[in-house]
Amino acid sequence: DTVSSTSGKTWFGEDGLLRPELKPEAFVTFNQENLRRDMAAGEGEYLTSMSALLGVPADRQPAFLAAVQTRATETDVASAKPDLLLATLQQTAQPYLP
């Protein structure tokens, strides 16, 4: 038995665990308000957790967080839907990934 979201996406595998490739998307979906606040501030536990989910190494997190804050001012994150928030975070993370 698998559990699906309202969009029909299967979030969980047969083992009952969240599928690893969907962890960033699920995190943004369920924490979007806190994540928006952290993105605007360029810091916070939700943004730090998201950077880890995206694979940003700890030593590159400060630069990534600053870049996210810059992108947040360029993008209207306050009204952005979760898919746009995730895309913004993924694009911003690219230069900081190993």
Side-chain angles (χ1 to χ4, degrees), residues 10 15 34 73 83 89-90 98:
T10 303
D15 57 3
N34 292 318
T73 60
D83 57 341
L89 289 162
Q90 289 172 325

Side-chain angles (χ1 to χ4, degrees), residues 14-69:
E14 291 183 19
D15 57 3
L17 299 176
L18 184 62
R19 292 171 48 200
E21 70 274 15
L22 294 179
K23 285 182 180 182
E25 184 176 350
F27 189 85
V28 170
T29 300
F30 294 112
N31 297 294
Q32 57 188 298
E33 291 306 318
N34 292 318
L35 199 49
R36 282 186 185 104
R37 184 188 63 238
D38 286 4
M39 289 172 72
E43 62 183 12
E45 64 182 291
Y46 291 90
L47 186 54
T48 301
S49 295
M50 189 67 204
S51 69
L53 282 175
L54 293 172
V56 176
D59 64 328
R60 295 181 184 172
Q61 280 187 359
F64 169 72
L65 299 179
V68 167
Q69 185 178 26

